[in-house]
Amino acid sequence: MNVIGIVGWKNSGKTTLASALIRELSARGLTVNSIKHAHHAVDIDQPGTDSYKHRDAGAREVILAGGQRFAIMHELRGAEEPTLDELLTRLGPSDWVVVEGFKGHSHPKIEIHRQENSRPPLYPEDANIIALAADYAADFPGPIFDPDDVPGMADFILNAEQT
């Protein structure tokens, strides 16, 4: 399983880029999983639903299954947030995993940084950033892509995988 991360500051276009990269890799016939990190409270379940009642009653994991998809909800119940490595072991087999967030982890990453962003880029402090998607001429020492050049980024990570 190959892992590529998409990192950047809030509202830089991480989700747009991650979704486009997933779409591009999938269109090339590759199987792709994803992990999205959120810094805020996340709840995909709603009060009053049966699965919510199961979790509320104390179940540690609840699988909500239907004819088109299933979701596993795991309650931490005071435990530490799982690491990216722990989450990767829970995924099914795939050719690629696109990770949005987890910028402190040591997996290979593409940073998206926009000129309008008032915060400095992450790449000077993170040797795991292997490419930059930017809308300006940055001083990044590796490949720099226009944020819309998703095919170029896909080519880059697929070629990097073979070396």
Side-chain angles (χ1 to χ4, degrees), residues 46-130:
Q46 300 301 311
T49 62
D50 293 348
S51 53
Y52 184 93
K53 290 175 185 176
H54 292 194
R55 286 190 307 130
D56 192 49
R60 182 149 190 134
E61 285 192 332
V62 175
I63 295 178
L64 177 59
Q68 295 179 322
R69 69 189 53 86
F70 71 90
I72 300 173
M73 293 167 279
H74 181 97
E75 290 295 313
L76 294 176
R77 306 251 183 245
E80 291 290 317
E81 179 180 342
T83 66
L84 177 57
D85 290 329
E86 291 167 334
L87 293 172
L88 287 168
T89 66
R90 298 197 63 145
L91 290 175
S94 67
D95 297 313
W96 281 89
V97 177
V98 175
V99 176
E100 181 182 337
F102 285 98
K103 60 184 165 210
H105 190 269
S106 62
H107 61 290
K109 301 169 213 143
I110 297 172
E111 177 181 0
I112 182 161
H113 192 266
R114 301 199 181 267
Q115 191 169 17
E116 67 199 30
N117 195 310
S118 60
R119 299 186 77 171
L122 300 167
Y123 66 80
E125 305 300 321
D126 187 347
N128 296 299
I129 294 175
I130 61 170

Side-chain angles (χ1 to χ4, degrees), residues 11 15 18 24-25 34 39 43-44 59 78 81 100 153-154:
N11 296 321
T15 300
E24 179 70 24
L25 294 171
S34 73
H39 290 286
D43 196 347
I44 61 171
E81 179 180 342
E100 181 182 337
M153 287 182 254

